[in-house]
Amino acid sequence: MNNLIKMAIKEKINRLNKILSQCTLCPHKCRVNRISGEKGFCGAGKDLIISTAMPHHGEEPPISGTGGSGTIFFSHCNMRCCYCQNYQISQQHDGYILSPEALADKMVMLRDCGVHNINLVSPTIWLPGILESLKIAMESGMDLPIVYNTGGYEDPAIIKMLEGTIDIYMPDMRYSDSRMGKKYSAVDYYVRYNRESIIEMFRQTGPLKLDEGGNARKGLLIRLLVMPGDISGIKDTLDFIKEKISLRVYLSIMAQYHPAHNARDYPGLTRRITAGEYRDVLEYAASLGFKHGWTQDHEGLDPDKDYFIPDFDDKDVFRYYRDR
């Protein structure tokens, strides 16, 4: 790592640490002093908390590749999705504290396992510690692409601060109506913050760029989760992406919704999507001219047999690792 990069990252770390004393890292803008132990919406303090760090083979093909994605699952979240499949860590806060130095060691360990990238899952509220860890890991020779894997409730000003640090942005665009964001994820103005942030992500990195082996090196990959009854309003989101971002964007249109966590308490969320609901979204995306991305085999997705539905109470997390 050259001195200019070191100085740039150190400046970002200093700015982000100052924000922690009156936290506005995300759109909730709780303004609590996390350094002194106060906690806001997400319940996070100052110290990094993760659940697990592992090579993960269940992401999109250019992220997982053949060697897996070096995935770090952080505890806590700035969204409270009633259907969250990661609820054990996002809302029940399972996990353990570790220092930036220890997290850097895990990044280097994952690199040595042969993964293609370092994949930060739900990183938003932990950015000061994450950047400190990245700085230490990079000084140790860790040079893999960094993936920012987020539910999409971001402050565009914070995303702008990350320019030059994040290689691959992989956000959800979960809703096209903020009333749905409030009802099902307890967040305000989701659509405004989400869309402004993703425009900034695209400005920084452009569309997804793959190496000769088909592995992602840089760019934006947007995830769209098809939900029952068109709760997510994906057609409107696709219109927005075409008009305000680019048809060159890579999309991951997901059929994997299942009623996890508290979803069965919400009448509209008690079932999986139908083949017709999924096919309708795929056909609409094609009609708009989107050509890049990935779909899922709706008929083959059985939540009782899905190898990649997580259980964070199990040390292996995914059934794939237990049954292989």
Side-chain angles (χ1 to χ4, degrees):
M1 183 191 299
N2 66 45
N3 288 333
L4 286 177
I5 294 174
K6 285 182 182 179
M7 290 174 62
I9 293 180
K10 186 175 181 179
E11 172 61 22
K12 294 177 194 292
I13 293 167
N14 290 339
R15 291 173 63 190
L16 289 167
N17 274 318
K18 288 178 181 178
I19 290 173
L20 277 189
S21 65
Q22 198 176 24
C23 191
T24 55
L25 282 176
C26 83
H28 288 294
K29 300 190 184 303
C30 298
R31 300 189 184 279
V32 297
N33 188 341
R34 287 173 55 185
I35 294 174
S36 68
E38 293 179 2
K39 295 180 180 179
F41 179 92
C42 67
K46 178 178 181 291
D47 295 323
L48 287 163
I49 303 178
I50 76 163
S51 170
T52 189
M54 62 191 297
H56 182 28
H57 295 269
E59 304 283 36
E60 286 76 5
I63 304 297
S64 285
T66 56
S69 176
T71 306
I72 301 170
F73 289 95
F74 290 90
S75 182
H76 298 255
C77 185
N78 68 344
M79 299 176 71
R80 290 183 189 150
C81 302
C82 62
Y83 50 86
C84 180
Q85 68 175 14
N86 292 358
Y87 69 92
Q88 292 159 306
I89 59 174
S90 65
Q91 295 176 49
Q92 294 179 351
H93 303 161
D94 291 355
Y96 59 95
I97 294 173
L98 78 174
S99 67
E101 292 80 8
L103 180 57
D105 287 343
K106 288 189 178 295
M107 293 177 180
V108 173
M109 175 273 291
L110 287 167
R111 190 246 353 236
D112 292 345
C113 287
V115 300
H116 302 289
N117 49 65
I118 299 298
N119 184 351
L120 309 170
V121 181
S122 300
T124 310
I125 59 177
W126 302 113
L127 281 171
I130 287 173
L131 261 64
E132 181 66 33
S133 300
L134 284 173
K135 177 177 173 290
I136 297 167
M138 290 175 180
E139 288 172 346
S140 299
M142 201 289 295
D143 59 354
L144 297 177
I146 306 302
V147 181
Y148 194 90
N149 185 340
T150 169
Y153 192 54
E154 303 288 338
D155 184 334
I158 299 297
I159 296 299
K160 189 174 180 63
M161 287 177 59
L162 298 178
E163 184 170 7
T165 305
I166 302 301
D167 301 290
I168 300 164
Y169 285 104
M170 193 162 64
D172 291 330
M173 294 190 78
R174 196 70 60 83
Y175 308 105
S176 63
D177 183 338
S178 287
R179 292 173 298 178
M180 300 296 102
K182 182 68 172 178
K183 181 175 182 179
Y184 297 114
S185 298
V187 294
D188 292 316
Y189 308 112
Y190 178 88
V191 175
R192 186 185 96 197
Y193 285 112
N194 177 255
R195 291 183 176 185
E196 290 180 6
S197 294
I198 290 175
I199 287 172
E200 171 61 21
M201 293 173 184
F202 187 75
R203 184 196 69 79
Q204 291 180 22
T205 64
L208 202 64
K209 301 168 184 67
L210 310 181
D211 64 18
E212 293 179 355
N215 301 308
R217 301 299 301 178
K218 186 174 183 178
L220 173 67
L221 191 168
I222 297 174
R223 284 174 160 173
L224 301 171
L225 178 65
V226 182
M227 297 176 67
D230 195 32
I231 286 167
S232 43
I234 288 181
K235 289 183 179 179
D236 184 69
T237 299
L238 288 167
D239 290 339
F240 170 81
I241 296 170
K242 177 180 179 178
E243 294 168 9
K244 301 297 183 180
I245 305 180
S246 173
L247 281 172
R248 295 181 297 148
V249 168
Y250 280 69
L251 304 176
S252 177
I253 302 178
M254 301 182 293
Q256 67 193 43
Y257 173 82
H258 65 281
H261 193 31
N262 295 323
R264 296 189 186 278
D265 296 334
Y266 294 78
L269 295 178
T270 58
R271 64 172 176 85
R272 294 184 62 221
I273 64 169
T274 66
E277 286 174 318
Y278 189 58
R279 184 170 58 250
D280 186 46
V281 171
L282 298 185
E283 290 174 352
Y284 189 73
S287 75
L288 292 180
F290 287 101
K291 297 179 180 179
H292 306 295
W294 298 270
T295 61
Q296 291 180 323
D297 174 13
H298 173 268
E299 297 301 327
L301 289 173
D302 180 344
D304 294 325
K305 299 177 181 178
D306 193 329
Y307 278 108
F308 293 105
I309 290 178
D311 179 1
F312 290 95
D313 289 333
D314 190 297
K315 66 180 179 65
D316 292 317
V317 182
F318 298 99
R319 190 178 302 170
Y320 167 85
Y321 297 98
R322 299 193 295 271
D323 293 354
R324 63 182 174 175

